[in-house]
Amino acid sequence: MEDKTLKIKITIGVLLVFIGIIIISWDYLLEKKNQVYDTMYYEIASLPSYIEDQEKYEKEKIEEQINDIKNNENKDNNSTDNNDKNNSSTTSSSKDDYLGRLMIPKINFNRSFYKIDSVYNDVDKNIQVMKGSSLPDVDGGNLIIAGHSGNVWFSFFKNLYKLKKGNNAYVYYNDTKYTYKVVDIYNVKKNGKVTVKRDRTKRTMTLITCTKNSKTLQTVYILEQIDEE
C-alpha cells in the first residue's frame, strides 16, 4: 500500500515539474513563434562586390550606358525628348523626393534617403531604399536600405562592418526621430536572394551591403526600433 502511495506521489511530482517547465517556457515559445524567417527577393545581386577600382567600375558603367543607347536607337525622337524633359524635372525636384535621413553615430554616418521611384534612390549615387520597404511609422514594418562598400566615392556603407550588436542608429522621418538598435548581423551569399530574419511584431530596419573584402558575400544588419520622439 505504501509503495502504491509513493508511486502516486512520484507521478504527481513529475507531472507538476513538467507543468512548471511548460509554464516557464511559455513566454520563450511564444517569442520563438513570433520569430519569422522571411525570404525576400530583391535585385541585390546587381550590387557590385566590394569596389576597390573606381576607374574600372566607371568604365564598365559607361559601356553599359553606351549599350543602352544603341539598344534604344530606333525609338522615336519625340519620346527621347520627353524623357530628357522628365529627367530634368526629376533632377530639379530632389526636395520633393526626400524621405528622411539615416544617422549612425558609431561610424559617423549621416545621409539622406529618397523615395523608391526617385532618380536619387540609386546605390551608384546614394544609399538605396529597396522595394518592399515600409516606412518607420508602420507597425511590424521593415525599412530596407542597401549601399555600396569599398574604397570609391559612392561606397557610403564602407564602414558598416564596424557595427556591433547593441549599437544605435537613428532615422529622421516626417518630423519624428526613430531610434533603432542592432540586434543581429550575418552574412549571406551574393546570389540575388536575401533571407531577412526578424521579429514581425516589431518595427525593424535592415541594412545590406557587400561584405568587406569579399566578392561572394553580403552582410545583413537587423535593427529593431526601440524609441520614437
Side-chain angles (χ1 to χ4, degrees):
M1 184 69 178
E2 290 181 359
D3 290 342
K4 187 176 181 179
T5 302
L6 180 60
K7 289 180 179 179
I8 293 173
K9 289 182 178 179
I10 292 174
T11 302
I12 293 174
V14 171
L15 287 173
L16 289 175
V17 171
F18 182 71
I19 293 171
I21 292 174
I22 291 177
I23 293 173
I24 293 172
S25 304
W26 187 250
D27 288 339
Y28 174 79
L29 293 173
L30 285 178
E31 182 180 349
K32 285 299 180 184
K33 180 182 177 182
N34 288 330
Q35 287 289 337
V36 180
Y37 293 80
D38 294 330
T39 301
M40 300 183 180
Y41 295 89
Y42 299 107
E43 293 179 358
I44 301 297
S46 65
L47 294 179
S49 300
Y50 190 84
I51 304 172
E52 297 178 342
D53 190 339
Q54 180 175 342
E55 183 177 354
K56 178 181 178 182
Y57 179 70
E58 289 181 343
K59 285 181 179 178
E60 291 175 351
K61 295 299 288 185
I62 291 173
E63 289 177 0
E64 289 179 7
Q65 291 172 1
I66 292 174
N67 288 333
D68 288 341
I69 292 173
K70 288 181 179 179
N71 290 334
N72 293 325
E73 281 181 348
N74 294 327
K75 286 190 175 181
D76 191 338
N77 289 332
N78 290 332
S79 176
T80 302
D81 291 339
N82 288 334
N83 286 335
D84 290 339
K85 291 179 181 178
N86 289 335
N87 289 335
S88 176
S89 176
T90 303
T91 302
S92 64
S93 62
S94 61
K95 291 183 179 179
D96 294 334
D97 291 346
Y98 174 84
L99 261 185
R101 178 169 289 273
L102 172 62
M103 295 181 65
I104 310 175
K106 171 73 175 179
I107 57 175
N108 296 318
F109 183 88
N110 184 351
R111 195 162 189 86
S112 299
F113 55 89
Y114 298 87
K115 296 177 181 178
I116 293 288
D117 58 353
S118 171
V119 68
Y120 304 102
N121 190 47
D122 185 329
V123 288
D124 288 339
K125 299 175 182 177
N126 193 37
I127 54 176
Q128 180 175 342
V129 179
M130 305 303 296
K131 292 181 180 179
S133 289
S134 302
L135 294 174
D137 57 353
V138 176
D139 289 338
N142 185 28
L143 174 61
I144 309 164
I145 300 178
H148 282 304
S149 60
N151 299 319
V152 298
W153 71 267
F154 49 80
S155 299
F156 300 114
F157 275 174
K158 65 182 179 181
N159 291 320
L160 217 57
Y161 74 95
K162 297 179 181 179
L163 289 184
K164 300 182 182 301
K165 290 183 182 180
N167 291 154
N168 285 349
Y170 305 94
V171 172
Y172 294 84
Y173 166 72
N174 201 21
D175 296 324
T176 302
K177 176 184 177 183
Y178 297 91
T179 302
Y180 291 82
K181 181 176 71 173
V182 179
V183 296
D184 198 10
I185 303 172
Y186 56 91
N187 295 334
V188 295
K189 288 184 178 180
K190 192 174 171 56
N191 60 7
K193 180 175 70 175
V194 176
T195 302
V196 178
K197 296 179 283 188
R198 72 183 188 95
D199 188 340
R200 271 189 179 177
T201 66
K202 298 180 180 179
R203 299 178 182 179
T204 60
M205 175 167 62
T206 300
L207 305 179
I208 305 171
T209 192
C210 292
T211 304
K212 183 176 173 63
N213 296 325
S214 175
K215 295 182 179 180
T216 60
L217 296 175
Q218 295 173 133
T219 304
V220 179
Y221 301 79
I222 305 295
L223 299 90
E224 291 182 351
Q225 192 179 121
I226 59 175
D227 193 21
E228 67 174 282
E229 56 185 276

